[in-house]
Amino acid sequence: MKKFLSRIALGAMALLMLAGTVHAEELLLVPQPLSTVLSGGVFKVTAKTPLIVESGDENPARIFAEQMMPLFGQKKPMTITTRGEGIRLSIDPTLEAEGYKMTTTKKGICISGGSEAGIFYGLQSLRQLIHTYEGCIPCGEILDAPNFAYRGAHFDVCRHFFTVEEVKRYIDILAAHKLNRLHWHLTDDQGWRIEIKAYPELTEKGSMRKETLIGHCHRPEGFDGIPYGGYYTQEQIREVVDYAAKRYITIIPEFEMPGHAQAALHALPWLGCEEQQVEVWTQWGVTPEVMCGGKESTYQFLETVLSEIVALFPSELIHIGGDECPKERWKVCEHCQARMEALGLKSENQLQGYLIERIEKFLNGYGRRLIGWDEILECGVTPTATVMSWRGTEGGITAAKRGNQVVMTPMEPCSFDFYQTKSQEGEGLQIGGHVSFEKVYAWDPYKGLNEEEKKYILGVQCNLWTEYILDMRHVEMKLLPRLAALSEVQWATERRNEKSIRPRMEQLRKFYEACGWNYAPYYFKGRE
């Protein structure tokens, strides 16, 4: 702590000079604020600076105080009170709900937000500034608000499983970048990861695969022969949901249907067209084994599982997958063909459309809304469904033109399991593709849309599939620093600054180091 304080004056002066070389009125913050006006002078924040909650809940202050403990070397968090001078927090209903205003004078700091979330985001900016300017916060005013209402990141825990504490760490990283959605991918061919009371077999049998593919799925080298699995109890799910909510992140669960369901089919063979016996899948890619779209028992299963999911997750949006569903089984299934005939459907795609529409009505009965991958557009999706465009932006553009809400997440540049450099040197085995920091930062999620259609773009998301990501250290390396580039696309779409992003990132990397996060070095070494 003494060493930290002894460097304050010199460090703050040097950093302010660096800021001046970028822009006279710009602070080294990611994502870029809406506006910044500097007035001269600084206010010094220390471990003894109190947090004064003038209005609103104490939660933003509590989280911030906990987050600052490692930086200050504290054993106890900063003091939270309701009066005095220091860092004052209040609600200002004239601001946007997630917007904030930070006013710094030589006497203290005032952060007001349109809601507790706005205060939280203001404190996340202050957290960066405290580290960057070594406690000496430049006096002036920051006014800030996000561009997109939906600022998301996806996390696949099916191909490789991550503990509750690791998921919380993932959430911490998202929160520091001002994201507000975690798309939690909980069921797939390679493992069922959520406890369902009505069907205990799903986790008893479906959460464990007998082995895992070695090598790339297109160049397999055999199998490791090691059983692999894991799942979350409902109590653990609630714990994670609560943890995220306190950081103003809504968790959107994904329950895959009717494809990517081989783990469920292993646990409950009657879900298949021919009640075929299958193993939890040990490979990557797309399997032909899917749920039967004809039997009423399938729909009873889907609704029963969803009734437990909506009880666990407050999210208005519930993700049902809907992607990569081969129809070979359906074409020769007497149950599927009989239902198609009874409904007057001409194709198996229309049968999937019937399934999705029926599930959407079921979710609507709980006050929830359906979201699915862009393949659902091929099934005659309803105008009220939300489309997640992953195979490119075309699906999102089509959906927006139809009037559906859209989350843009095209593989390039939003698949963060892709290689980060063209050479791939030092990156290990990955799925393929190339998504550099620069590609993410330059992406325009509105491209191809007119002003009216832009209104239907709910937000932007990156996806992290974990076929080739085995541990949390690797997860962080795939996320960072590309998540910073994405956060600026999400939060500051129209005000990105290519001239200042590198010096701002040079400071953010030091923030990552202070947090103990493992970031990829390629961007900082000039590798694309």
Side-chain angles (χ1 to χ4, degrees):
M1 180 62 183
K2 289 181 179 178
K3 185 178 179 181
F4 176 81
L5 291 175
S6 68
R7 300 197 316 265
I8 283 178
L10 183 61
M13 183 180 297
L15 287 165
L16 285 170
M17 289 174 65
L18 174 59
T21 65
V22 175
H23 192 283
E25 295 289 293
E26 185 170 300
L27 294 171
L28 298 175
L29 270 175
V30 180
Q32 181 89 356
L34 183 63
S35 68
T36 302
V37 178
L38 301 180
S39 57
V42 299
F43 174 75
K44 183 170 69 176
V45 178
T46 72
K48 294 182 179 180
T49 304
L51 294 158
I52 301 102
V53 180
E54 296 184 334
S55 60
D57 193 88
E58 283 190 2
N59 180 66
R62 285 195 298 268
I63 300 299
F64 176 79
E66 292 169 6
Q67 291 171 334
M68 292 306 300
M69 287 172 65
L71 177 60
F72 287 129
Q74 296 169 274
K75 293 184 179 179
K76 294 182 179 181
M78 299 166 73
T79 299
I80 300 174
T81 184
T82 57
R83 62 183 65 184
E85 293 296 330
I87 302 169
R88 294 162 53 200
L89 310 175
S90 63
I91 298 289
D92 181 351
T94 67
L95 297 171
E96 292 185 29
E98 292 186 302
Y100 68 90
K101 181 170 69 174
M102 183 190 306
T103 304
T104 303
T105 68
K106 295 178 182 179
K107 294 183 178 181
I109 298 173
C110 296
I111 297 176
S112 53
S115 66
E116 278 87 6
I119 294 173
F120 179 80
Y121 297 132
L123 286 168
Q124 294 312 297
S125 291
L126 178 59
R127 184 181 171 201
Q128 275 191 49
L129 293 173
I130 290 170
H131 185 269
T132 298
Y133 297 99
E134 298 192 317
C136 286
I137 310 304
C139 293
E141 183 177 278
I142 299 173
L143 187 64
D144 204 3
N147 186 86
F148 286 111
Y150 183 115
R151 304 180 303 280
H154 157 283
F155 195 18
D156 166 24
V157 296
C158 297
R159 279 44 178 255
H160 283 97
F161 181 73
F162 296 86
T163 67
V164 166
E165 292 308 310
E166 287 171 331
V167 176
K168 288 180 179 180
R169 188 173 172 92
Y170 196 94
I171 290 166
D172 288 339
I173 294 172
L174 303 191
H177 292 81
K178 300 186 175 76
L179 275 70
N180 64 359
R181 299 290 190 278
L182 169 58
H183 172 180
W184 203 3
H185 189 82
L186 290 164
T187 73
D188 216 301
D189 299 309
Q190 295 85 3
W192 184 282
R193 305 295 181 215
I194 178 172
E195 178 189 22
I196 299 297
K197 301 288 189 181
Y199 302 105
E201 304 96 323
L202 289 170
T203 47
E204 289 171 0
K205 299 179 180 179
S207 67
M208 184 70 66
R209 58 179 181 261
K210 65 180 182 180
E211 58 188 358
T212 302
L213 180 76
I214 298 173
H216 198 280
C217 62
H218 298 312
R219 302 179 298 277
E221 300 172 13
F223 296 87
D224 62 12
I226 303 171
Y228 184 92
Y231 69 91
Y232 308 102
T233 65
Q234 292 199 358
E235 182 179 359
Q236 289 174 320
I237 292 285
R238 292 188 186 95
E239 179 183 344
V240 174
V241 168
D242 180 66
Y243 187 89
K246 287 178 179 176
R247 287 147 185 83
Y248 303 93
I249 291 175
T250 299
I251 297 184
I252 298 172
E254 181 176 0
F255 164 28
E256 280 270 18
M257 63 180 81
H260 283 290
Q262 191 160 317
L265 292 168
H266 169 69
L268 304 169
W270 50 265
L271 282 173
C273 290
E274 299 175 3
E275 302 191 6
Q276 57 269 30
Q277 299 291 320
V278 296
E279 296 291 336
V280 178
W281 215 29
T282 57
Q283 303 180 46
W284 316 132
V286 180
T287 170
E289 307 301 342
V290 301
M291 298 178 190
C292 180
K295 291 188 288 188
E296 187 61 24
S297 56
T298 300
Y299 296 88
Q300 292 171 355
F301 166 79
L302 295 175
E303 292 177 359
T304 300
V305 172
L306 283 170
S307 67
E308 293 195 29
I309 286 176
V310 297
L312 292 168
F313 295 92
S315 170
E316 183 182 11
L317 289 172
I318 303 294
H319 206 300
I320 55 86
D323 61 314
E324 297 179 326
C325 179
K327 307 296 194 301
E328 287 82 1
R329 295 285 189 189
W330 288 10
K331 289 177 181 178
V332 295
C333 172
E334 61 177 310
H335 307 289
C336 292
Q337 294 303 312
R339 188 170 290 264
M340 287 172 60
E341 183 177 358
L343 296 171
L345 305 179
K346 298 180 180 179
S347 71
E348 285 72 25
N349 267 353
Q350 289 181 335
L351 178 59
Q352 185 175 346
Y354 164 79
L355 182 149
I356 292 170
E357 182 175 358
R358 180 165 166 177
I359 293 303
E360 182 178 16
K361 289 179 180 177
F362 177 80
L363 289 172
N364 292 162
Y366 281 89
R368 311 303 180 90
R369 295 192 297 119
L370 179 146
I371 183 170
W373 300 108
D374 59 57
E375 284 94 332
I376 65 175
L377 287 168
E378 300 165 3
C379 305
V381 69
T382 69
T384 51
T386 301
V387 175
M388 191 167 273
S389 187
W390 75 277
R391 293 180 296 176
T393 58
E394 295 80 6
I397 292 170
T398 297
K401 291 181 182 296
R402 286 172 37 130
N404 288 85
Q405 285 196 322
V406 175
V407 174
M408 283 292 196
T409 179
M411 283 189 286
E412 290 198 12
C414 293
S415 286
F416 280 15
D417 51 323
F418 280 15
Y419 287 101
Q420 301 185 56
T421 66
K422 291 177 183 177
S423 71
Q424 304 176 6
E425 182 181 351
E427 295 197 57
L429 181 65
Q430 303 300 325
I431 185 66
H434 171 226
V435 171
S436 65
F437 180 99
E438 290 84 354
K439 277 188 177 182
V440 178
Y441 194 76
W443 175 49
D444 177 9
Y446 287 133
K447 187 177 180 180
L449 297 167
N450 61 34
E451 290 303 313
E452 179 61 26
E453 292 160 352
K454 288 179 182 179
K455 298 176 184 177
Y456 294 100
I457 306 302
L458 183 63
V460 170
Q461 174 177 294
C462 66
N463 296 324
L464 192 63
W465 303 99
T466 60
E467 288 93 336
Y468 306 96
I469 301 175
L470 280 65
D471 55 43
M472 195 61 195
R473 182 173 173 80
H474 197 183
V475 164
E476 292 171 20
M477 195 170 179
K478 302 299 286 185
L479 272 183
L480 304 174
R482 291 184 293 187
L483 189 66
L486 184 78
S487 75
E488 195 136 310
V489 174
Q490 295 170 326
W491 184 277
T493 311
E494 307 293 350
R495 54 183 186 270
R496 280 171 282 175
N497 188 335
E498 292 184 0
K499 293 181 179 179
S500 72
I501 186 60
R502 190 167 288 277
R504 287 187 285 130
M505 287 303 302
E506 288 294 341
Q507 292 305 314
L508 192 63
R509 74 185 295 193
K510 296 176 184 178
F511 175 73
Y512 291 164
E513 290 166 1
C515 293
W517 297 334
N518 182 47
Y519 61 88
Y522 315 118
Y523 169 75
F524 302 106
K525 292 182 177 180
R527 290 177 57 189
E528 293 187 32

